[in-house]
Amino acid sequence: MLNDYTTITADAVTNLTEEALAVADGLVEAATTAEPTYAGVMGRLDEVADVTSRAYGHGAFMARVHPDADVRAAGLEAEERLTKWGNDLVFRRDLFEAVSQLAATEEAQSLEGTQRRLLEFTLRDFRRAGHQLDEVARKELQRLRTRLVELEVEFGRNLDEFEDGMDLTREQLAGLSDEYVARLKPAHDGRYRVSMEYPDYIPFIQMAEDRDLRRQMQFKFWNRAALKNKPLLEEAVEIRRNIADLLEEPTWAHHAMEVKMAGAPERVEEFYESLVPGLTVMASAELEVMAELAADEFDGPIASWDTNYLDTQLRRRDFGIDPDEVAAYFPLERVVEGMFDLTGAVFGIDYERIENTAAWHPDVHLYALRNRGQDDVIAYFYADLFPREGKYGHAAAFPIVYGRTLEGDGYQTPVAAIVANFTKPTADSPSLLKHDEALTLFHEFGHILHFCLTTVEEVRFSGFDTEWDFVEAPSQIMENWMWEPDVLQRFARHHRTDEAIPADLVTRLVAARDLNEGLFTMRQVFLGKLDLGMHATANPVDLDEVYRSAYEYTLLPFHDGTFFPASFGHLMGGYDAGYYGYLWARVYGDDMFSVFANEGITSPAVGNRYRNEVLATGGSRDAMDHLRAFLGREPSSDAFLEKLGLD
């Protein structure tokens, strides 16, 4: 089940992709010519899903992580090839007829559980692919879908390959620690290169004292790949609008949200309307406090390149929190150990680091998961946590092999990968995580657990393949443990002295959790509104106007000359008409964590129930049913609103 990535080449990526698609073609051919039985049709289609998903994990995934540019390029071609093939699959008339014939049989009427769900979802896929339309309209729909895939792949490639930065003197880096500066790459004339990679950019925008340099750096960061990606995004938004027209949907958002918890953009707008007034009051008050602090440093209104810097200053002034001081207690290896200890105890898991990783880079670690006290491996995951040239630039969890029931007997072992860009250790210092970076690690590990602890029979519903506006909930809940003093003091230890993080520092860190929560949540609203502004209208849109209009929710002056959406990968990476899901899912994540808060934040009993009712069940039932089963009641927004201060 584990792949040997050490020998992978560009040709190997291409070959394994073509071989997988040849197998998939054979399975589809058999499904369309066999007797219309569940095993003959749906069973084969689930096998197709397994074959193509493994081809992605063993080949196309290399586009995101492999150090060789040729392999990455082959991976992108493979990703496009697989996505187009999967896109074309639902347009096949012979397959539609085979599934329709099955649906009309007595066997289909007697199906239960995930088998009935798989048939229903597949029929829904065909309807969404326009099989109710005439042939001309179907062909046009297929053409538009294919072009959309091409645009999304090219958009991601441009972001991954983009490089820029600023060469600065030590004096210009005032406010940044010596450790930060020592990690920067050298530039000409004794200067230091501050790149667009997160370990360089985020501390700079948070702590650099030179305001104009912060402005210049943000200008560059918000314009990454803008020249290439803006026209791609414009074309994609127009194509999505045209697809909605063909399917007689009011907007692309209505089409996209049909398969999500929200159901329609009107519900999302209602969700925002319930939050924005209160958040606006909070954020306005927070800006007033920032303005008082900023008055000693500069004249004029606070700008977008000031808020993170002023937030850092306020944490130092009011709570005595220095991000570098906190990071000294969060060496990456300790955080990983603490994360394993916590989740191991709560969810009944043992972790083992595998020495012979056969991974794509020496920095990558491989871990096995077992049920506590048992010998059988139930899942594996890779951890690729440091930046390098050409690598995926954010943090995310990727599927490699989906868990599924095997024909005959047994269960296919899930394999996943967590990819991030934390500061790489040096000979003199380990990788030290800011607290928000540790939050990111816990967040992404929530996806890993969701994927790895699955027990679902079919690939379609395995792992984190649930409604897209629920998929972040198991990650949102994980962040809560990073604010619990009892949890932090178990593993946060100084990287030099090995002393536990002082109780007073933990108290101050937790007390500062809600500092400027209004401002930062309004940024999430801005991103969601930006997405909706592009996709929840039936009319052609001017992306510059949509960007500027949505930006008003930040309550900050617009940063003229920037086009941030060109580097907003979510718009072209599956979160189109879905970015609201981060905030939406937080409601459910906070509600689920309230059970831990009430019954024991590290309670194995609660953890076991959460594992069985939410993590293990994937998309095998509606997310609302997961919630009811775990909570023992109807879901509530009370915990979410209380945390925001809006209860």
Side-chain angles (χ1 to χ4, degrees):
M1 195 57 60
L2 292 174
N3 194 44
D4 184 355
Y5 292 100
T6 61
T7 59
I8 201 159
T9 63
D11 287 342
V13 171
T14 301
N15 291 338
L16 72 86
T17 302
E18 293 306 319
E19 290 168 4
L21 290 180
V23 172
D25 281 332
L27 289 165
V28 173
E29 181 65 23
T32 59
T33 57
E35 288 295 316
T37 65
Y38 183 87
V41 180
M42 302 311 302
R44 286 191 172 103
L45 289 184
D46 195 59
E47 185 74 17
V48 166
D50 179 58
V51 169
T52 54
S53 63
R54 281 190 283 116
Y56 172 85
H58 293 159
F61 170 56
M62 292 297 97
R64 304 289 169 239
V65 295
H66 203 279
D68 187 302
D70 290 338
V71 176
R72 293 198 303 272
L76 276 174
E77 292 177 3
E79 180 182 6
E80 185 171 342
R81 179 88 169 86
L82 287 164
T83 307
K84 284 183 176 179
W85 188 93
N87 182 66
D88 290 342
L89 188 64
V90 294
F91 287 97
R92 288 188 57 155
R93 196 67 177 174
D94 58 347
L95 188 58
F96 164 69
E97 290 171 353
V99 175
S100 298
Q101 289 172 14
L102 169 62
T105 64
E106 290 185 9
E107 181 191 15
Q109 304 309 310
S110 64
L111 292 176
E112 297 179 345
T114 54
Q115 290 188 346
R116 172 173 287 277
R117 186 175 177 86
L118 182 58
L119 177 58
E120 290 174 348
F121 274 43
T122 304
L123 290 170
R124 186 181 70 182
D125 293 341
F126 285 127
R127 174 177 55 76
R128 289 168 61 80
H131 282 276
Q132 70 279 15
L133 305 176
D134 62 51
E135 185 176 358
V136 173
R138 280 202 317 275
K139 290 293 184 183
E140 175 63 5
L141 185 59
Q142 184 174 6
R143 184 191 70 81
L144 292 173
R145 284 283 192 183
T146 300
R147 178 56 182 157
L148 196 54
V149 171
E150 294 170 351
L151 294 170
E152 290 168 349
V153 170
E154 187 176 353
F155 189 98
R157 177 174 60 238
N158 291 339
L159 272 182
D160 288 345
E161 294 178 353
F162 184 80
E163 292 185 31
D164 198 4
M166 296 176 66
D167 296 338
L168 304 174
T169 66
R170 183 63 182 95
E171 290 73 22
Q172 290 175 308
L173 291 168
L176 282 305
S177 69
D178 290 338
E179 288 184 339
Y180 170 86
V181 175
R183 295 177 189 274
L184 297 175
K185 292 180 180 178
H188 62 282
D189 300 331
R191 298 186 181 192
Y192 302 89
R193 180 70 168 178
V194 182
S195 73
M196 297 291 101
E197 294 175 350
Y198 278 90
D200 287 5
Y201 175 76
I202 297 298
F204 187 89
I205 209 72
Q206 288 177 334
M207 292 183 280
E209 294 176 1
D210 190 314
R211 187 184 188 221
D212 190 58
L213 289 178
R214 293 199 309 271
R215 179 192 61 78
Q216 294 179 49
M217 183 64 73
Q218 187 186 81
F219 186 89
K220 285 177 173 285
F221 193 76
W222 284 11
N223 277 321
R224 286 171 296 154
L227 290 177
K228 292 183 177 180
N229 276 356
K230 184 178 181 181
L232 302 182
L233 181 59
E234 288 174 334
E235 185 179 352
V237 170
E238 180 64 12
I239 284 175
R240 290 165 182 159
R241 191 177 68 84
N242 290 337
I243 290 173
D245 284 344
L246 278 172
L247 293 172
E248 298 183 347
E249 295 276 13
T251 69
W252 174 259
H254 286 85
H255 175 67
M257 291 184 198
E258 178 195 4
V259 297
K260 299 184 172 86
M261 293 183 75
E266 289 81 6
R267 285 197 65 199
V268 178
E269 292 290 3
E270 290 172 4
F271 173 62
Y272 282 137
E273 288 172 7
S274 71
L275 298 177
V276 166
L279 288 172
T280 301
V281 173
M282 288 175 60
S284 299
E286 291 161 359
L287 281 173
E288 290 180 6
V289 174
M290 283 188 173
E292 293 174 2
L293 178 64
D296 295 332
E297 295 195 31
F298 59 83
D299 297 325
I302 293 170
S304 53
W305 53 87
D306 297 320
T307 52
N308 285 285
Y309 172 77
L310 293 171
D311 177 76
T312 300
Q313 301 308 309
L314 286 170
R315 290 175 191 275
R316 285 172 171 163
R317 187 192 74 180
D318 296 345
F319 299 95
I321 294 175
D322 184 308
D324 289 328
E325 177 193 2
V326 175
Y329 291 94
F330 289 97
L332 176 61
E333 289 193 3
R334 283 279 193 183
V335 177
V336 170
E337 289 174 8
M339 186 170 67
F340 287 171
D341 287 344
L342 170 71
T343 56
V346 175
F347 302 129
I349 308 166
D350 288 329
Y351 299 93
E352 178 192 3
R353 180 166 156 181
I354 308 299
E355 294 303 323
N356 183 21
T357 64
W360 49 88
H361 191 275
D363 288 344
V364 180
H365 297 316
L366 173 64
Y367 298 91
L369 283 71
R370 295 178 174 86
N371 286 319
R372 178 137 293 184
Q374 298 183 15
D375 295 330
D376 293 340
V377 174
I378 60 170
Y380 294 95
F381 77 91
Y382 296 90
D384 185 352
L385 303 180
F386 306 122
R388 56 181 174 270
E389 184 179 348
K391 180 186 166 184
Y392 178 78
H394 302 281
F398 291 87
I400 294 178
V401 178
Y402 278 85
R404 63 188 286 260
T405 299
L406 298 173
E407 189 173 336
D409 189 29
Y411 195 79
Q412 183 163 278
T413 306
V415 184
I418 180 172
V419 178
N421 289 273
F422 302 129
T423 303
K424 191 172 182 178
T426 66
D428 301 320
S429 176
S431 173
L432 300 177
L433 302 186
K434 302 289 193 292
H435 186 262
D436 58 353
E437 291 178 312
L439 277 172
T440 296
L441 179 61
F442 268 61
H443 177 101
E444 297 303 336
F445 195 64
H447 289 308
I448 294 294
L449 291 176
H450 198 184
F451 189 85
C452 288
L453 298 181
T454 188
T455 59
V456 179
E457 293 184 2
E458 298 88 356
V459 171
R460 174 67 181 259
F461 306 124
S462 179
F464 42 48
D465 281 15
T466 180
E467 292 101 316
W468 211 239
D469 47 1
F470 180 76
V471 75
E472 296 297 333
S475 290
Q476 300 285 6
I477 191 176
M478 283 292 297
E479 294 184 23
N480 285 278
W481 277 290
M482 276 300 297
W483 294 105
E484 292 294 332
D486 290 345
V487 172
L488 291 180
Q489 289 191 291
R490 293 181 186 185
F491 66 84
R493 307 186 75 86
H494 199 283
H495 69 102
R496 289 200 179 96
T497 66
D498 201 40
E499 293 179 0
I501 188 170
D504 176 61
L505 179 56
V506 173
T507 300
R508 287 182 280 123
L509 185 67
V510 173
R513 180 183 65 181
D514 299 329
L515 181 67
N516 298 318
E517 183 69 15
L519 273 173
F520 295 134
T521 306
M522 283 294 275
R523 176 168 172 77
Q524 283 293 302
V525 173
F526 147 60
L527 296 174
K529 287 285 191 175
L530 173 68
D531 178 23
L532 289 177
M534 294 178 182
H535 297 118
T537 175
N539 302 315
V541 295
D542 181 320
L543 296 193
D544 289 294
E545 290 182 4
V546 170
Y547 173 34
R548 187 178 287 272
S549 176
Y551 195 80
E552 293 178 3
Y553 286 94
T554 69
L555 308 187
L556 297 168
F558 184 75
H559 194 161
D560 288 318
T562 66
F563 190 73
F564 167 79
S567 61
F568 188 23
H570 291 76
L571 295 175
M572 298 284 271
Y575 277 90
D576 50 280
Y579 191 82
Y580 72 89
Y582 277 94
L583 205 53
W584 180 279
R586 187 173 154 190
V587 173
Y588 301 117
D590 288 347
D591 197 18
M592 290 189 292
F593 189 75
S594 71
V595 180
F596 285 95
N598 292 331
E599 300 182 28
I601 59 169
T602 58
S603 166
V606 179
N608 184 62
R609 190 165 85 244
Y610 172 70
R611 174 179 172 176
N612 291 334
E613 298 292 357
V614 179
L615 299 180
T617 49
S620 63
R621 61 186 178 188
D622 291 350
M624 194 59 73
D625 292 331
H626 294 347
L627 290 164
R628 293 185 182 110
F630 171 65
L631 297 169
R633 55 170 170 77
E634 288 296 313
S636 165
S637 61
D638 291 351
F640 169 73
L641 295 173
E642 181 179 357
K643 186 185 288 187
L644 280 181
L646 299 177
D647 55 316

